[in-house]
Amino acid sequence: MTQGLLCRSIFENLYKNALEASPPGQTVFIRVAAGATTCISLENKGEVPENIRKHFFDKYVTQDKSGGTGLGTYSARLAARALGGDIELDTGTPGQTTIRVFLPTNPNK
């Protein structure tokens, strides 16, 4: 039950961020690749501002978001790590942001 709640929290936070960061009318793509580790990617148009990229998963980091607390990506990373996984930010494609969440495929084994 706890694992499910943590996963829900991770993806609610990351999906909300992707929607808010996307230009109007754009699509957020979610991809899943399963193996020994499952990788869930959230990809959206729009770029994380360069000045916060190195601190994207730190507590209270936010920019240009009315009502944003800067806790969404921070708590998502904490939850992923609590589940034995991690999260990474990929800004290597101009005009696009990809967040990859890596989680154990069979965490109870």
Side-chain angles (χ1 to χ4, degrees):
M1 176 94 163
T2 302
Q3 291 173 340
L5 290 174
L6 287 175
C7 282
R8 180 178 177 168
S9 175
I10 291 168
F11 295 107
E12 282 181 349
N13 279 313
L14 297 178
Y15 186 67
K16 179 180 182 229
N17 280 358
L19 285 175
E20 290 173 349
S22 295
Q26 293 294 314
T27 301
V28 173
F29 293 95
I30 300 173
R31 293 178 174 80
V32 179
T37 300
T38 298
C39 176
I40 302 97
S41 300
L42 292 91
E43 176 187 305
N44 62 280
K45 298 293 181 194
E47 296 182 20
V48 172
E50 193 164 336
N51 64 316
I52 66 169
R53 290 178 187 177
K54 289 183 182 180
H55 305 285
F56 187 70
F57 294 105
D58 292 352
K59 192 186 288 188
Y60 307 126
V61 172
T62 187
Q63 185 164 329
D64 300 330
K65 288 176 67 174
S66 172
T69 63
L71 294 174
T73 58
Y74 171 76
S75 63
R77 177 173 263 179
L78 283 178
R81 288 179 172 174
L83 292 169
D86 209 349
I87 299 179
E88 71 178 22
L89 170 67
D90 178 354
T91 57
T93 303
Q96 175 179 302
T97 297
T98 301
I99 303 291
R100 291 186 189 88
V101 181
F102 301 94
L103 297 171
T105 299
N106 295 307
N108 294 325
K109 286 190 172 184

